Amino acid sequence: MDKYAIGFWGCYFGSAGLMLAGSVFAYIRSLRRIAVNAATSALASTFFVVAFLGGLPISDAATLDRFLAHVAAVVSALLAYLLFSILGILRNPRSQQRALTLLGALAVLVIAVGWALGPKQALALSLAGAVSLGFVALGFSLRNALRGDRLAWVAVSGVLFMLVAIAGLSWVALDRAHVPWQAHAASALAGTAYLATMASVLWTRYSYLIELNRVMAHGPAYDPVTRMRSNNETNNLVSTAFRHYRDQPVPMGVIVVTIANLYVLEKLYGLAAVNHALFVCAGRLRRVVPAHVEMGRLGEDGFLLLMRNCHGSGDIIQLAHRVRAALSRSVALNTGLDEGTAAHHQTPWVADVGLGVLRVSKTDARAASAVGMGRGMSRAALGYASRVAWFDESSGEIVDMPVLAD
C-alpha cells in the first residue's frame, strides 16, 4: 500500500480508537446502551476496513473473497440496525425484534445465495446488498429529517460518507492491485467522517441522557441554568448530610463559592449574560470537582460543595484552589439572545470569585451555621490575595492561603 494511503487510513484508525475510548467513558458513567452502540459501531466498521484492506491472515484469494462476502453481509446488517436504533425508529421491543429478524434473514439470504456463485460474484453480491442497505438507511434518515428531526440530518451525512467508504473498499477488494492512493484517501476520509458524524449523534443522545438523569434525580428541584441542584435541593442535601453526621460523626468538608460581580454584570448586560456566566461556571465546576463531592446552587450568586469523609484538610484545600483557578479563567459572554447575531454581542468577563472552606468535625455542628459561616468566609475571601478563606480549627481563626499538609 502506498505511504499516502497508509497515512490516511491511520487517521481513520485513530478516530476509531477515540470513539472506543469515548464509549468506555460513557460505560463508566452508567450510560451502557450508548456505550455499547458506540463501541459496536466502531469495532464493526474497523473490522470491515481491516478485512477489506487485506489485513487478515488469509492467503488464498478465493477463501478471502468468500470470507469478505460474509463480513460485508453481517457488518452492513449490524450497522443498519445500530443506525435505526440511533434514529429512534426501534422504540419498543417488538420493533427491535422485527428489525433483528429481517436484517438477520437478509444477511443469511445473501450469504446463502453467494455460495451458489463463485467467490468474486459472491463478494460482489454482498457488497451490492450492503450498498442497498445503505440506501435504505439513507431513506429512513431523510424521512426523519424532513419530519423535523435535526439530528437525522447528521445521520444523512453519515450514511452518505459510509456509502463512499463502502464504494472505495469494494474497489480495493475487487481489484486490489490497481487501486490508486487517491481512492484509498477518499475512502479513509469518508470512513473517518462517518465515525465523526455517528459519534456526534451518539454524543447528542449521551448529553440528553445525562440531562434526563439529573432531572429524574432532582425533579422540580433541578436548576436548568446550572444543571445542578436548586437552592432548595441544596439546603435539603446539607440538612440530610448533617443528620447523618450527628448519627455518625465523620468529618465533612464544606466549600462555599461566591461570585461577587454577577450583580454588576446584570446591570450592564442583562439577565441573559448572568445566566450564561452561571452556565459556564457550573460547567467548569463539574469538570474540576471529583465525583464523590456533592454540589448544588446556593443563593443567586454562589455554589456549595460538600465532601463527606473529609478526614484531612489537604484534599479540601487543594480542591478549593483548583475550583478557584477554574472559575477565574476569562470567558466571552453572549449579551444578546439572537442566535444569529450572538457572535457580534459578546464581552469578555472574569468571575470575581471568593471561596470559604471549612472542615466540620465538632459533634454539635449545625447545617445552618456551617453554611452561613462558609458564605461569610467566601465574601471575606474576596479581599484575600488567594481568594480562598480557610477556617483553622486549631486557632479558631480565618486565614488566607493555608499551607497544604503533606
Side-chain angles (χ1 to χ4, degrees):
M1 189 184 297
D2 188 274
K3 61 181 180 180
Y4 296 110
I6 293 174
F8 281 105
W9 283 116
C11 177
Y12 168 84
F13 289 119
S15 301
L18 287 175
M19 193 169 178
L20 281 173
S23 66
V24 172
F25 175 76
Y27 191 87
I28 293 173
R29 296 293 296 271
S30 299
L31 299 174
R32 295 178 180 175
R33 183 177 177 183
I34 296 292
V36 169
N37 283 350
T40 304
S41 181
L43 288 173
S45 303
T46 301
F47 181 72
F48 186 95
V49 170
V50 170
F52 274 73
L53 289 178
L56 300 177
I58 301 177
S59 56
D60 182 67
T63 304
L64 180 60
D65 288 341
R66 288 284 184 195
F67 184 76
L68 292 181
H70 295 182
V71 170
V74 173
V75 171
S76 60
L78 177 60
L79 293 180
Y81 178 82
L82 291 175
L83 182 63
F84 296 154
S85 177
I86 292 171
L87 289 173
I89 298 172
L90 312 179
R91 295 185 181 275
N92 55 71
R94 184 177 179 181
S95 60
Q96 293 173 9
Q97 186 62 42
R98 187 183 304 167
L100 276 174
T101 302
L102 289 175
L103 290 171
L106 178 62
V108 171
L109 177 64
V110 170
I111 292 173
V113 173
W115 276 101
L117 305 173
K120 283 289 184 186
Q121 290 77 17
L123 176 56
L125 175 64
S126 292
L127 290 172
V131 172
S132 299
L133 269 180
F135 278 109
V136 171
L138 181 62
F140 277 109
S141 302
L142 278 172
R143 185 197 66 175
N144 281 21
L146 294 174
R147 289 180 176 179
D149 186 356
R150 290 181 294 179
L151 197 61
W153 285 113
V154 183
V156 168
S157 60
V159 174
L160 289 174
F161 288 129
M162 181 185 69
L163 289 172
V164 173
I166 290 176
L169 289 169
S170 300
W171 187 2
V172 172
L174 295 172
D175 191 17
R176 198 176 302 276
H178 301 93
V179 180
W181 70 267
Q182 290 88 345
H184 280 283
S187 302
L189 291 176
T192 303
Y194 164 74
L195 289 181
T197 52
M198 290 300 102
S200 68
V201 172
L202 287 167
W203 171 253
T204 302
R205 298 293 190 199
Y206 169 76
S207 302
Y208 166 78
L209 288 176
I210 291 178
E211 191 84 3
L212 178 61
N213 287 342
R214 290 198 180 102
V215 170
M216 292 174 65
H218 304 308
Y222 177 74
D223 177 32
V225 176
T226 59
R227 295 181 292 172
M228 289 182 177
R229 294 174 173 89
S230 68
N231 289 310
N232 290 335
E233 182 66 10
T234 300
N235 292 332
N236 293 336
L237 165 69
V238 176
S239 299
T240 302
F242 272 80
R243 281 198 300 270
H244 292 164
Y245 172 76
R246 285 191 289 272
D247 296 334
Q248 298 179 351
V250 179
M252 293 187 299
V254 176
I255 299 177
V256 176
V257 181
T258 294
I259 305 173
N261 53 346
L262 289 178
Y263 177 79
V264 175
L265 183 66
E266 181 179 1
K267 293 302 179 183
L268 289 174
Y269 300 108
L271 186 59
V274 173
N275 289 336
H276 188 184
L278 287 169
F279 179 84
V280 171
C281 290
R284 290 175 175 178
L285 274 175
R286 280 191 295 272
R287 286 190 291 272
V288 76
V289 173
H292 67 276
V293 177
E294 299 171 280
M295 56 185 174
R297 191 168 179 181
L298 186 66
E300 297 298 323
D301 60 352
F303 302 92
L304 182 137
L305 282 65
L306 183 66
M307 178 186 290
R308 302 176 191 260
N309 302 325
C310 182
H311 294 285
S313 59
D315 290 341
I316 191 72
I317 296 174
Q318 289 176 357
L319 175 59
H321 281 289
R322 291 200 302 271
V323 167
R324 195 269 318 157
L327 296 184
S328 298
R329 297 197 307 269
S330 177
V331 61
L333 295 179
N334 292 336
T335 55
L337 293 176
D338 187 358
E339 294 181 1
T341 60
H344 303 290
H345 294 81
Q346 291 186 339
T347 183
W349 179 78
V350 177
D352 189 9
V353 179
L355 285 85
V357 186
L358 64 151
R359 181 171 169 269
V360 179
S361 59
K362 294 183 179 180
T363 55
D364 59 346
R366 293 292 182 267
S369 59
V371 173
M373 184 176 183
R375 179 173 278 281
M377 290 168 56
S378 68
R379 297 187 185 281
L382 294 168
Y384 293 169
S386 68
R387 298 302 178 98
V388 177
W390 164 252
F391 179 72
D392 187 0
E393 293 178 293
S394 59
S395 64
E397 297 179 349
I398 298 173
V399 298
D400 176 25
M401 294 191 67
V403 178
L404 301 183
D406 293 333

